[in-house]
Amino acid sequence: MTRSYERIVFDVQDGVATLTLSHPEKRNVFDPVMRVEMGEVVRQVQADPAIRALVLTGAGTHFCSGGDLGNIAASGLDNGGWRRRLTSLHDWLKDLMLLDKPVVAAVDGAAYGAGFSLALAADFIIASTRARFAMSFIRVGVVPDCAAFYTLPRIVGVQRARELMLSGREVSAEEALRLGIATELVAPEALQARAQAIARSFVGASPVALSLIKRSLALAASDLPSLLEQEANAQALAMGTPEHREAVRCFLEKRPAPFQWPQA
């Protein structure tokens, strides 16, 4: 099933959904139309139990170049208007970040500003060797958004996040891998296939275990007693699932496990 919107393309095949930012003539700029359409699609992914993983990518040779400065300049919004715009975006961004299914970002070319932030909302960033990232907000006198204040320090640490946000400098694919931003680097022509292979691998994983792992990791910065309580509750649920029992049978019978990470 494939559905084309004005700014995105949404496709579902064999349990894997692919959301493609599709405005390549403007490097998939993150404009108001795209924001609304992404919210609709994220809610579809969240509600459909047949979808087991999501790939987030961009059409053409770029992931997303960030906010649409032309639209921003022409918007005429006051402070209250900008706050309302951001909180409406947060409604579905929280759903994306707390999605009970793995999210794989396939990043080629530029991931600047909000594009960088969107990539950071994924569980895995598979980047092409020509990918480049920048917290470019400071260049236009604004602050990072799309949850970058939450995601980036958790990946690279507060000190490095401070440097990247205050400098607005470009991060190469190789540096992104060293910093832990990118999970893997692949050749541009192999990018989509690798991202799809990783997403498809989760079709065989326990959806309950995946959900519980993601929910528990969201609490990783909380206090230890709360995290241990979540761990106990989550493991008790996971141990009772048929997927766990089948995985144990496979191990004892020396059969391949239902879930296996695909080799590069």
Side-chain angles (χ1 to χ4, degrees), residues 213-231:
I213 289 169
K214 291 194 63 173
R215 286 171 181 255
S216 298
L217 282 171
L219 295 174
S222 64
D223 64 280
L224 181 61
S226 297
L227 186 59
L228 292 177
E229 179 72 13
Q230 167 66 14
E231 178 186 293

Side-chain angles (χ1 to χ4, degrees), residues 199-247:
R200 282 195 305 272
S201 74
F202 290 107
V203 174
S206 165
V208 173
L210 289 171
S211 170
L212 292 169
I213 289 169
K214 291 194 63 173
R215 286 171 181 255
S216 298
L217 282 171
L219 295 174
S222 64
D223 64 280
L224 181 61
S226 297
L227 186 59
L228 292 177
E229 179 72 13
Q230 167 66 14
E231 178 186 293
N233 293 338
Q235 194 69 299
L237 286 171
M239 289 288 188
T241 62
E243 289 84 3
H244 165 67
R245 292 191 290 271
E246 174 61 17

